Amino acid sequence: MSFSSEVKNELCRISMQRSCCTRAEAYGALLHASVFSHKEIRLSAENTAVVRRLQALLQRAFFVLCEPQQAGRKQQLVITQSGEIGRIFDGLGYDHKSHIAYHLNRNIIEEDCCIAAFLRGAFLMAGTVAGPDKKSHLELKSTRQSLSGEETSLLLELGLSPKQARRGSAWLLYFKDNAGVEDFLTHIGAPHAAMELMEAKVEKNLRNTINRQVNCETANLVKTADAAARQIAAIRAVLESGGEEAFPEALRETVRLRLAYPTDSLAELAQRFDPPISKPGLSHRLKKITEFAIKES
């Protein structure tokens, strides 16, 4: 099951207690129907839960009973009786004697709860959202530019800022940022899906942070090992030609400790002196040893 289907299943479990929100949700679905005219209304969906939700919305909001018809992979709710279409148009404030204008009747979606319900219905019919394992992306498709523009205004009223684009004959409202997707889903009634996306983002950020730390620590270890190898090679070159006595007396303890503990970092090696010396002090001695070895070679 896709993440979009999971989100829609969550939305379909929302109760229909308020008649105003029930009508608003049905309104959002109808404006994104396959066909919405004064002669026919056709709502299509693959998700069985969405189809059942649409049936309930039509019955509760407009007292229209409609049984689904199978059409390939999809199920359709088809309304052709003029009396039923008339009840729907009357309920939405449209004139059912002429072709419908795709505009929003704001008298039906005045309150924030009704705006959210309207957008929920629109998403059930025409929305998709990428899952937690993919880049953030949520879109709402419409075949009418005017409808897309008016829905943008609704989203702005809720404090959301979608982007707009055209894809072929369709108009898209979309979010590509994590916060926008999560806020949209929360507003329309899918907080569990929003939380799943949020948790995935936190986990990804944590994993990236750990990887950066590991990479940094690995780089430091490699750098430390390379420096120690160069120091030991320089020391051995002098020892082979002149023995330990070839080194100034002040550097001989450093020479012995560096050879005895080749994998120690500067901090670890500095603590092995008696008494311990500072890390900068040890670094200075090793630098002098390397310079001395170059001079003696």
Side-chain angles (χ1 to χ4, degrees):
M1 182 183 295
S2 69
F3 187 67
S4 290
S5 294
E6 292 179 14
V7 172
K8 291 179 181 182
N9 286 345
E10 181 178 352
L11 295 175
C12 288
R13 291 193 290 270
I14 297 173
S15 63
M16 302 179 191
Q17 294 181 346
R18 302 188 64 175
S19 59
C20 61
C21 292
T22 300
R23 182 173 60 165
E25 185 177 339
Y27 191 18
L30 287 165
L31 286 184
H32 290 273
S34 303
V35 180
F36 184 40
S37 72
H38 67 295
K39 292 184 178 180
E40 180 185 359
I41 295 174
R42 186 183 298 267
L43 296 155
S44 302
E46 290 185 22
N47 190 318
T48 303
V50 172
V51 174
R52 288 198 298 266
R53 179 81 175 184
L54 295 171
Q55 281 183 285
L57 289 169
L58 291 173
Q59 183 176 355
R60 289 173 180 251
F62 311 111
F63 305 103
V64 171
L65 297 175
C66 187
E67 291 300 321
Q69 304 173 12
Q70 198 68 37
R73 295 175 57 185
K74 294 185 176 182
Q75 295 183 70
Q76 297 183 338
L77 298 177
V78 182
I79 304 169
T80 55
Q81 293 185 12
S82 59
E84 293 180 336
I85 293 176
R87 285 204 299 278
I88 293 173
F89 276 37
D90 287 341
L92 299 178
Y94 287 139
D95 179 3
H96 60 277
K97 295 180 181 179
S98 61
H99 289 280
I100 189 167
Y102 276 73
H103 66 86
L104 297 186
N105 180 357
R106 289 304 304 269
N107 292 328
I108 295 176
I109 43 178
E110 291 183 306
E111 303 297 330
D112 284 354
C113 61
C114 294
I115 293 175
F118 174 90
L119 293 170
R120 178 166 59 249
F123 184 83
L124 286 173
M125 290 304 301
T128 58
V129 58
D133 58 331
K134 300 177 182 177
K135 290 184 178 179
S136 293
H137 187 85
L138 182 149
E139 67 180 39
L140 187 62
K141 184 186 297 184
S142 172
T143 56
R144 304 280 178 163
Q145 183 180 8
S146 58
L147 177 59
S148 183
E150 290 185 282
E151 287 177 338
T152 298
S153 298
L154 291 179
L155 289 165
L156 290 172
E157 288 183 30
L158 294 178
L160 303 174
S161 301
K163 294 182 179 180
Q164 299 184 52
R166 186 171 184 177
R167 184 188 298 158
S169 60
W171 295 88
L172 304 178
L173 300 181
Y174 67 92
F175 298 92
K176 298 191 76 170
D177 60 299
N178 293 322
V181 173
E182 292 159 10
D183 288 346
F184 179 88
L185 292 177
T186 300
H187 274 295
I188 66 172
H192 295 296
M195 183 61 68
E196 189 173 343
L197 291 175
M198 196 177 304
E199 289 173 349
K201 178 181 66 177
V202 170
E203 182 180 344
K204 182 179 179 181
N205 289 339
L206 180 60
R207 186 165 57 247
N208 289 340
T209 299
I210 292 173
N211 287 338
R212 284 194 297 271
Q213 291 174 343
V214 169
N215 291 338
C216 182
E217 290 172 3
T218 301
N220 288 336
L221 289 173
V222 170
K223 184 178 178 181
T224 298
D226 287 346
R230 288 194 301 271
Q231 294 157 7
I232 291 170
I235 290 171
R236 285 177 175 163
V238 174
L239 292 176
E240 288 175 5
S241 61
E244 188 177 295
E245 291 75 16
F247 286 102
E249 186 175 352
L251 298 178
R252 291 175 189 171
E253 184 181 10
T254 304
V255 168
R256 289 193 293 270
L257 287 172
R258 178 76 285 180
L259 290 174
Y261 303 100
T263 60
D264 273 10
S265 65
L266 285 181
E268 292 169 337
L269 193 61
Q271 293 301 307
R272 296 191 184 277
F273 285 78
D274 187 16
I277 64 174
S278 67
K279 182 178 173 181
L282 176 58
S283 178
H284 178 70
R285 293 188 188 188
L286 290 170
K287 183 178 180 182
K288 290 188 69 175
I289 290 173
T290 304
E291 292 172 349
F292 180 79
I294 294 173
K295 188 185 299 182
E296 291 294 312
S297 62

